[in-house]
Amino acid sequence: MGAFIARRLIQAIPVLIGISLLTFVLIYYLPADPARMYAGPSARAETVERIRHELGLDQPFWVQYFRYVGRLLQGDLGFSYRKQIAVTTLILNRLPYTLALIGAGILVELVIGLTVGIASAVGRGRWMDRLGMFIALLGVSTPPFWLGLLLLYWFGYLIPIFPLGGAASPAHLVLPALAAGLGGAAWYARMMRSSMLDVLANDYVRTARGKGARERLVIVRHVLPNALNPIITMAGMDIPWFIGGVVLVERVFNWPGVGRMAVEAIETVDVPLILGTVIFTAVMVVISGILIDVVQSIVDPRIRHFVRSETAH
């Protein structure tokens, strides 16, 4: 397993290099001038040129890029132009809030989505199945930011159960997590229902029922372990999606996450902060992909055998 993880990390290096290069190219050819944004709209041309020279922005593209990569290999993500603080420090300060929202959002997705999906599959064709799929359709069709505004209006203003925004207490996390997770819960419900129906049609399930096993035991022992494999994959892929996909939710609830900080960096053309958040997101995607493979190899013996065979070769 250790050799497999090491191989995956080595394979991720070209991906990270490509992402950093592409991001650097896009920022380099932006029509906005980072030096002008840093100096302010009323600064003299001489001041802007001096700042551009001090920041190294007057150097050729490849010089700037390799200089950045050199610092990156030493763990230095640069220094924020606007906030005047190290990018690594900024990201680490926002990271707990991002991880909290990711964890809470995925928990909402899994608890609600899997419960509805299992109930719909077990009661296929009944009122519970139709109601669950109708709710899932509504969840898929609802944009997270609009759902967030509704939740704020209903449970923050009309019925003031939760705070209207911020991140001062655990109660502030409830509404953002619901807004971020309910749409995904609808996808999980549909996927879990489909996956369980496929497994329920297999011969070994009919054999277990024919031997007189209780329906609950058949579901727990034979159906759920096999139906959960696509769910595990989807849950792992939700981690990078949440990092970049809940920016609007963070804005609606004034949640101080990494995604919101990245948008602010783009608005102010804070080049080091833009690059730092992109590289951080890419690393999180790579790590989540490896975690998916590890968890799946633990849950599914067939994948575990494949991982061992790949490591042996």
Side-chain angles (χ1 to χ4, degrees):
M1 182 64 71
F4 172 76
I5 294 175
R7 180 177 298 179
R8 288 294 305 274
L9 289 173
I10 293 173
Q11 292 172 350
I13 293 176
V15 176
L16 296 176
I17 292 175
I19 290 173
S20 66
L21 180 58
L22 179 60
T23 308
F24 214 91
V25 169
L26 294 175
I27 294 175
Y28 185 82
Y29 288 104
L30 274 177
D33 185 359
R36 169 60 66 180
M37 298 289 291
Y38 181 84
S42 60
R44 291 182 177 183
E46 296 83 2
T47 304
V48 175
E49 288 300 324
R50 177 176 56 82
I51 291 175
R52 183 177 289 108
H53 177 72
E54 291 175 354
L55 296 177
L57 299 176
D58 56 349
Q59 298 292 324
F61 169 80
W62 290 109
V63 174
Q64 294 186 44
Y65 177 70
F66 284 120
R67 184 179 297 170
Y68 177 77
V69 171
R71 293 195 301 265
L72 190 63
L73 293 175
Q74 299 174 12
D76 182 8
L77 292 176
F79 197 80
S80 171
Y81 295 162
R82 302 292 294 180
K83 298 181 181 295
Q84 291 296 294
I85 189 172
V87 172
T88 303
T89 302
L90 287 171
I91 292 177
L92 291 178
N93 289 340
R94 298 289 187 104
L95 182 58
Y97 298 100
T98 296
L99 294 179
L101 184 55
I102 290 173
I106 292 178
L107 182 64
V108 168
E109 288 184 337
L110 292 177
V111 171
I112 297 178
L114 297 187
T115 301
V116 173
I118 292 171
S120 296
V122 173
R124 182 183 182 183
R126 303 173 188 170
W127 67 268
M128 186 179 299
D129 181 23
R130 291 191 289 269
L131 177 62
M133 290 302 98
F134 176 74
I135 295 174
L137 179 61
L138 287 180
V140 171
S141 306
T142 305
F145 72 90
W146 184 73
L147 179 60
L149 292 173
L150 289 180
L151 291 173
L152 276 177
Y153 180 69
W154 289 337
F155 302 109
Y157 177 70
L158 289 181
I159 309 173
I161 301 175
F162 300 104
L164 284 172
S169 68
H172 288 79
L173 179 61
V174 176
L175 293 184
L178 287 173
L182 284 177
W187 283 107
Y188 278 115
R190 294 161 67 94
M191 180 175 286
M192 190 65 191
R193 178 182 183 274
S194 176
S195 182
M196 281 195 63
L197 290 178
D198 288 341
V199 176
L200 285 169
N202 287 330
D203 292 337
Y204 62 84
V205 175
R206 288 193 290 267
T207 301
R209 286 171 172 167
K211 291 181 177 180
R214 295 181 180 179
E215 185 66 18
R216 182 177 299 178
L217 183 62
V218 172
I219 296 295
V220 173
R221 179 173 295 181
H222 299 285
V223 178
L224 282 181
N226 293 285
L228 281 174
N229 277 330
I231 306 300
I232 294 172
T233 302
M234 191 173 178
M237 294 308 298
D238 271 348
I239 297 175
W241 181 90
F242 266 93
I243 294 174
V246 295
V247 175
L248 293 177
V249 174
E250 291 179 353
R251 287 234 164 181
V252 169
F253 292 95
N254 196 29
W255 187 261
V258 175
R260 180 182 162 202
M261 183 175 65
V263 173
E264 295 171 352
I266 294 172
E267 292 173 347
T268 58
V269 199
D270 193 338
V271 174
L273 190 53
I274 296 173
L275 288 168
T277 51
V278 170
I279 295 298
F280 167 77
T281 304
V283 171
M284 291 293 291
V285 171
V286 170
I287 293 175
S288 64
I290 295 174
L291 289 177
I292 293 168
D293 292 337
V294 171
V295 172
Q296 281 190 313
S297 69
I298 295 173
V299 174
D300 191 340
R302 295 169 297 179
I303 299 177
R304 187 185 311 137
H305 175 73
F306 171 78
V307 169
R308 288 175 178 173
S309 300
E310 186 178 278
T311 304
H313 288 87

